[in-house]
mmCIF file of all heavy atoms in Angstrom:
data_model
loop_
_atom_site.group_PDB
_atom_site.id
_atom_site.type_symbol
_atom_site.label_atom_id
_atom_site.label_comp_id
_atom_site.label_asym_id
_atom_site.label_seq_id
_atom_site.Cartn_x
_atom_site.Cartn_y
_atom_site.Cartn_z
ATOM 1 N N ALA K 1314 -2.828 -0.664 14.390
ATOM 2 C CA ALA K 1314 -3.728 -1.636 13.794
ATOM 3 C C ALA K 1314 -5.168 -1.198 13.852
ATOM 4 O O ALA K 1314 -5.930 -1.328 12.910
ATOM 5 C CB ALA K 1314 -3.551 -2.994 14.486
ATOM 6 N N ARG K 1315 -5.592 -0.602 14.976
ATOM 7 C CA ARG K 1315 -6.951 -0.157 15.077
ATOM 8 C C ARG K 1315 -7.296 0.926 14.170
ATOM 9 O O ARG K 1315 -8.350 0.973 13.564
ATOM 10 C CB ARG K 1315 -7.191 0.276 16.535
ATOM 11 C CG ARG K 1315 -7.120 -0.901 17.580
ATOM 12 C CD ARG K 1315 -7.244 -0.433 19.005
ATOM 13 N NE ARG K 1315 -8.543 0.122 19.266
ATOM 14 C CZ ARG K 1315 -8.871 0.768 20.401
ATOM 15 N NH1 ARG K 1315 -7.955 0.933 21.366
ATOM 16 N NH2 ARG K 1315 -10.100 1.254 20.590
ATOM 17 N N HIS K 1316 -6.366 1.908 14.022
ATOM 18 C CA HIS K 1316 -6.613 3.024 13.081
ATOM 19 C C HIS K 1316 -6.516 2.526 11.606
ATOM 20 O O HIS K 1316 -7.216 3.045 10.754
ATOM 21 C CB HIS K 1316 -5.615 4.101 13.324
ATOM 22 C CG HIS K 1316 -5.955 5.374 12.559
ATOM 23 N ND1 HIS K 1316 -7.221 5.921 12.578
ATOM 24 C CD2 HIS K 1316 -5.196 6.246 11.812
ATOM 25 C CE1 HIS K 1316 -7.207 7.024 11.879
ATOM 26 N NE2 HIS K 1316 -5.983 7.198 11.366
ATOM 27 N N CYS K 1317 -5.679 1.515 11.391
ATOM 28 C CA CYS K 1317 -5.513 0.966 10.016
ATOM 29 C C CYS K 1317 -6.887 0.393 9.509
ATOM 30 O O CYS K 1317 -7.227 0.583 8.342
ATOM 31 C CB CYS K 1317 -4.508 -0.105 9.997
ATOM 32 S SG CYS K 1317 -4.157 -0.776 8.377
ATOM 33 N N VAL K 1318 -7.602 -0.255 10.358
ATOM 34 C CA VAL K 1318 -8.905 -0.859 10.012
ATOM 35 C C VAL K 1318 -9.887 0.282 9.656
ATOM 36 O O VAL K 1318 -10.724 0.109 8.746
ATOM 37 C CB VAL K 1318 -9.416 -1.724 11.150
ATOM 38 C CG1 VAL K 1318 -10.850 -2.223 10.848
ATOM 39 C CG2 VAL K 1318 -8.508 -2.914 11.360
ATOM 40 N N ALA K 1319 -9.792 1.395 10.321
ATOM 41 C CA ALA K 1319 -10.825 2.491 10.157
ATOM 42 C C ALA K 1319 -10.390 3.461 9.047
ATOM 43 O O ALA K 1319 -11.274 4.213 8.605
ATOM 44 C CB ALA K 1319 -10.951 3.212 11.449
ATOM 45 N N SER K 1320 -9.182 3.447 8.601
ATOM 46 C CA SER K 1320 -8.657 4.423 7.695
ATOM 47 C C SER K 1320 -8.550 3.851 6.251
ATOM 48 O O SER K 1320 -8.396 2.620 6.098
ATOM 49 C CB SER K 1320 -7.305 4.969 8.081
ATOM 50 O OG SER K 1320 -6.853 5.946 7.230
ATOM 51 N N VAL K 1321 -8.564 4.709 5.236
ATOM 52 C CA VAL K 1321 -8.338 4.255 3.896
ATOM 53 C C VAL K 1321 -7.158 4.939 3.223
ATOM 54 O O VAL K 1321 -6.790 4.675 2.110
ATOM 55 C CB VAL K 1321 -9.594 4.504 2.999
ATOM 56 C CG1 VAL K 1321 -10.738 3.587 3.449
ATOM 57 C CG2 VAL K 1321 -10.020 5.936 2.990
ATOM 58 N N THR K 1322 -6.508 5.878 3.980
ATOM 59 C CA THR K 1322 -5.406 6.623 3.462
ATOM 60 C C THR K 1322 -4.202 6.381 4.333
ATOM 61 O O THR K 1322 -4.273 6.129 5.569
ATOM 62 C CB THR K 1322 -5.731 8.134 3.420
ATOM 63 O OG1 THR K 1322 -6.070 8.596 4.704
ATOM 64 C CG2 THR K 1322 -6.861 8.433 2.459
ATOM 65 N N PRO K 1323 -2.960 6.491 3.758
ATOM 66 C CA PRO K 1323 -1.752 6.314 4.548
ATOM 67 C C PRO K 1323 -1.688 7.338 5.723
ATOM 68 O O PRO K 1323 -2.106 8.501 5.565
ATOM 69 C CB PRO K 1323 -0.618 6.567 3.517
ATOM 70 C CG PRO K 1323 -1.294 6.199 2.209
ATOM 71 C CD PRO K 1323 -2.699 6.718 2.343
ATOM 72 N N PHE K 1324 -1.092 6.903 6.807
ATOM 73 C CA PHE K 1324 -0.886 7.823 7.917
ATOM 74 C C PHE K 1324 0.395 7.512 8.683
ATOM 75 O O PHE K 1324 0.814 6.344 8.686
ATOM 76 C CB PHE K 1324 -2.077 7.743 8.873
ATOM 77 C CG PHE K 1324 -2.355 6.385 9.468
ATOM 78 C CD1 PHE K 1324 -1.713 6.026 10.691
ATOM 79 C CD2 PHE K 1324 -3.184 5.510 8.821
ATOM 80 C CE1 PHE K 1324 -1.981 4.735 11.241
ATOM 81 C CE2 PHE K 1324 -3.435 4.238 9.371
ATOM 82 C CZ PHE K 1324 -2.815 3.864 10.565
ATOM 83 N N SER K 1325 1.002 8.539 9.259
ATOM 84 C CA SER K 1325 2.196 8.318 10.083
ATOM 85 C C SER K 1325 1.691 7.935 11.471
ATOM 86 O O SER K 1325 0.546 8.113 11.872
ATOM 87 C CB SER K 1325 3.038 9.558 10.184
ATOM 88 O OG SER K 1325 2.332 10.539 10.995
ATOM 89 N N TRP K 1326 2.639 7.302 12.228
ATOM 90 C CA TRP K 1326 2.275 6.894 13.559
ATOM 91 C C TRP K 1326 1.866 8.098 14.459
ATOM 92 O O TRP K 1326 1.037 7.996 15.310
ATOM 93 C CB TRP K 1326 3.415 6.141 14.236
ATOM 94 C CG TRP K 1326 3.725 4.799 13.599
ATOM 95 C CD1 TRP K 1326 3.016 4.244 12.544
ATOM 96 C CD2 TRP K 1326 4.669 3.859 14.023
ATOM 97 N NE1 TRP K 1326 3.558 2.966 12.293
ATOM 98 C CE2 TRP K 1326 4.554 2.674 13.179
ATOM 99 C CE3 TRP K 1326 5.649 3.855 15.059
ATOM 100 C CZ2 TRP K 1326 5.363 1.572 13.292
ATOM 101 C CZ3 TRP K 1326 6.428 2.736 15.186
ATOM 102 C CH2 TRP K 1326 6.295 1.607 14.296
ATOM 103 N N GLU K 1327 2.456 9.237 14.157
ATOM 104 C CA GLU K 1327 2.130 10.458 14.900
ATOM 105 C C GLU K 1327 0.717 10.917 14.642
ATOM 106 O O GLU K 1327 0.191 11.743 15.366
ATOM 107 C CB GLU K 1327 3.153 11.541 14.578
ATOM 108 C CG GLU K 1327 4.525 11.291 15.145
ATOM 109 C CD GLU K 1327 5.383 10.409 14.210
ATOM 110 O OE1 GLU K 1327 4.872 10.042 13.151
ATOM 111 O OE2 GLU K 1327 6.525 10.108 14.534
ATOM 112 N N GLU K 1328 0.103 10.499 13.509
ATOM 113 C CA GLU K 1328 -1.199 10.990 13.151
ATOM 114 C C GLU K 1328 -2.360 10.072 13.667
ATOM 115 O O GLU K 1328 -3.532 10.383 13.374
ATOM 116 C CB GLU K 1328 -1.326 11.075 11.617
ATOM 117 C CG GLU K 1328 -0.376 12.102 10.992
ATOM 118 C CD GLU K 1328 -0.257 12.020 9.495
ATOM 119 O OE1 GLU K 1328 -0.570 10.946 8.938
ATOM 120 O OE2 GLU K 1328 0.138 13.064 8.897
ATOM 121 N N VAL K 1329 -2.002 9.075 14.388
ATOM 122 C CA VAL K 1329 -3.085 8.247 15.031
ATOM 123 C C VAL K 1329 -3.892 9.089 15.989
ATOM 124 O O VAL K 1329 -3.330 9.834 16.764
ATOM 125 C CB VAL K 1329 -2.459 7.044 15.727
ATOM 126 C CG1 VAL K 1329 -3.546 6.224 16.497
ATOM 127 C CG2 VAL K 1329 -1.722 6.104 14.719
ATOM 128 N N PRO K 1330 -5.234 9.038 15.925
ATOM 129 C CA PRO K 1330 -6.035 9.838 16.823
ATOM 130 C C PRO K 1330 -5.643 9.627 18.327
ATOM 131 O O PRO K 1330 -5.445 8.472 18.765
ATOM 132 C CB PRO K 1330 -7.446 9.325 16.604
ATOM 133 C CG PRO K 1330 -7.388 8.838 15.200
ATOM 134 C CD PRO K 1330 -6.032 8.200 15.019
ATOM 135 N N PRO K 1331 -5.495 10.711 19.070
ATOM 136 C CA PRO K 1331 -5.066 10.637 20.492
ATOM 137 C C PRO K 1331 -5.827 9.578 21.369
ATOM 138 O O PRO K 1331 -5.194 8.963 22.175
ATOM 139 C CB PRO K 1331 -5.287 12.066 20.988
ATOM 140 C CG PRO K 1331 -5.063 12.920 19.763
ATOM 141 C CD PRO K 1331 -5.694 12.133 18.644
ATOM 142 N N PRO K 1332 -7.174 9.503 21.192
ATOM 143 C CA PRO K 1332 -7.863 8.522 22.069
ATOM 144 C C PRO K 1332 -7.303 7.090 21.901
ATOM 145 O O PRO K 1332 -7.418 6.290 22.888
ATOM 146 C CB PRO K 1332 -9.367 8.609 21.593
ATOM 147 C CG PRO K 1332 -9.448 10.000 21.112
ATOM 148 C CD PRO K 1332 -8.161 10.264 20.398
ATOM 149 N N LEU K 1333 -6.775 6.722 20.765
ATOM 150 C CA LEU K 1333 -6.333 5.353 20.581
ATOM 151 C C LEU K 1333 -4.970 5.148 21.248
ATOM 152 O O LEU K 1333 -4.579 3.974 21.471
ATOM 153 C CB LEU K 1333 -6.177 5.091 19.039
ATOM 154 C CG LEU K 1333 -7.474 5.064 18.237
ATOM 155 C CD1 LEU K 1333 -7.153 4.756 16.781
ATOM 156 C CD2 LEU K 1333 -8.475 4.059 18.845
ATOM 157 N N VAL K 1334 -4.186 6.243 21.444
ATOM 158 C CA VAL K 1334 -2.875 6.039 22.081
ATOM 159 C C VAL K 1334 -2.848 6.435 23.524
ATOM 160 O O VAL K 1334 -1.829 6.426 24.207
ATOM 161 C CB VAL K 1334 -1.830 6.851 21.325
ATOM 162 C CG1 VAL K 1334 -1.717 6.346 19.869
ATOM 163 C CG2 VAL K 1334 -2.154 8.375 21.298
ATOM 164 N N ALA K 1335 -4.024 6.850 24.043
ATOM 165 C CA ALA K 1335 -4.081 7.341 25.451
ATOM 166 C C ALA K 1335 -4.215 6.275 26.467
ATOM 167 O O ALA K 1335 -4.103 6.545 27.680
ATOM 168 C CB ALA K 1335 -5.213 8.376 25.598
ATOM 169 N N THR K 1336 -4.448 5.023 26.035
ATOM 170 C CA THR K 1336 -4.624 3.967 27.037
ATOM 171 C C THR K 1336 -3.310 3.431 27.543
ATOM 172 O O THR K 1336 -2.282 3.565 26.923
ATOM 173 C CB THR K 1336 -5.449 2.762 26.443
ATOM 174 O OG1 THR K 1336 -4.655 2.162 25.395
ATOM 175 C CG2 THR K 1336 -6.704 3.272 25.803
ATOM 176 N N ARG K 1337 -3.364 2.766 28.698
ATOM 177 C CA ARG K 1337 -2.119 2.208 29.255
ATOM 178 C C ARG K 1337 -1.557 1.093 28.397
ATOM 179 O O ARG K 1337 -0.350 0.967 28.211
ATOM 180 C CB ARG K 1337 -2.406 1.635 30.667
ATOM 181 C CG ARG K 1337 -1.191 1.029 31.415
ATOM 182 C CD ARG K 1337 -1.567 0.618 32.822
ATOM 183 N NE ARG K 1337 -2.062 1.691 33.562
ATOM 184 C CZ ARG K 1337 -2.480 1.570 34.844
ATOM 185 N NH1 ARG K 1337 -2.485 0.373 35.428
ATOM 186 N NH2 ARG K 1337 -2.920 2.626 35.528
ATOM 187 N N SER K 1338 -2.454 0.303 27.791
ATOM 188 C CA SER K 1338 -1.995 -0.802 26.933
ATOM 189 C C SER K 1338 -1.281 -0.231 25.691
ATOM 190 O O SER K 1338 -0.290 -0.783 25.224
ATOM 191 C CB SER K 1338 -3.185 -1.659 26.456
ATOM 192 O OG SER K 1338 -3.803 -2.274 27.618
ATOM 193 N N ALA K 1339 -1.835 0.847 25.086
ATOM 194 C CA ALA K 1339 -1.251 1.426 23.901
ATOM 195 C C ALA K 1339 0.118 2.036 24.265
ATOM 196 O O ALA K 1339 1.076 1.898 23.497
ATOM 197 C CB ALA K 1339 -2.167 2.475 23.340
ATOM 198 N N ALA K 1340 0.198 2.664 25.390
ATOM 199 C CA ALA K 1340 1.484 3.299 25.822
ATOM 200 C C ALA K 1340 2.541 2.207 26.021
ATOM 201 O O ALA K 1340 3.707 2.421 25.734
ATOM 202 C CB ALA K 1340 1.266 4.073 27.140
ATOM 203 N N LEU K 1341 2.161 1.056 26.551
ATOM 204 C CA LEU K 1341 3.087 -0.063 26.720
ATOM 205 C C LEU K 1341 3.634 -0.550 25.365
ATOM 206 O O LEU K 1341 4.841 -0.776 25.271
ATOM 207 C CB LEU K 1341 2.409 -1.176 27.510
ATOM 208 C CG LEU K 1341 3.246 -2.466 27.648
ATOM 209 C CD1 LEU K 1341 4.465 -2.153 28.513
ATOM 210 C CD2 LEU K 1341 2.431 -3.565 28.303
ATOM 211 N N ILE K 1342 2.751 -0.677 24.369
ATOM 212 C CA ILE K 1342 3.187 -1.092 23.049
ATOM 213 C C ILE K 1342 4.198 -0.084 22.472
ATOM 214 O O ILE K 1342 5.247 -0.520 21.959
ATOM 215 C CB ILE K 1342 1.981 -1.183 22.094
ATOM 216 C CG1 ILE K 1342 1.035 -2.315 22.605
ATOM 217 C CG2 ILE K 1342 2.402 -1.534 20.681
ATOM 218 C CD1 ILE K 1342 -0.302 -2.399 21.842
ATOM 219 N N VAL K 1343 3.910 1.185 22.577
ATOM 220 C CA VAL K 1343 4.799 2.224 22.036
ATOM 221 C C VAL K 1343 6.146 2.147 22.790
ATOM 222 O O VAL K 1343 7.231 2.246 22.146
ATOM 223 C CB VAL K 1343 4.177 3.615 22.253
ATOM 224 C CG1 VAL K 1343 5.199 4.689 21.858
ATOM 225 C CG2 VAL K 1343 2.895 3.787 21.389
ATOM 226 N N SER K 1344 6.147 1.952 24.074
ATOM 227 C CA SER K 1344 7.372 1.923 24.868
ATOM 228 C C SER K 1344 8.189 0.679 24.430
ATOM 229 O O SER K 1344 9.406 0.815 24.253
ATOM 230 C CB SER K 1344 7.026 1.881 26.330
ATOM 231 O OG SER K 1344 8.160 1.692 27.105
ATOM 232 N N GLU K 1345 7.602 -0.442 24.333
ATOM 233 C CA GLU K 1345 8.270 -1.654 24.048
ATOM 234 C C GLU K 1345 8.790 -1.636 22.575
ATOM 235 O O GLU K 1345 9.921 -2.121 22.293
ATOM 236 C CB GLU K 1345 7.404 -2.893 24.229
ATOM 237 C CG GLU K 1345 7.105 -3.178 25.688
ATOM 238 C CD GLU K 1345 6.349 -4.474 25.855
ATOM 239 O OE1 GLU K 1345 6.020 -5.136 24.846
ATOM 240 O OE2 GLU K 1345 6.156 -4.891 27.012
#
Side-chain angles (χ1 to χ4, degrees):
R1315 292 174 67 187
H1316 191 47
C1317 183
V1318 173
S1320 180
V1321 295
T1322 58
F1324 59 90
S1325 71
W1326 290 3
E1327 290 84 0
E1328 293 169 341
V1329 174
L1333 295 181
V1334 297
T1336 67
R1337 182 177 300 178
S1338 297
L1341 176 62
I1342 295 172
V1343 173
S1344 175
E1345 291 188 354

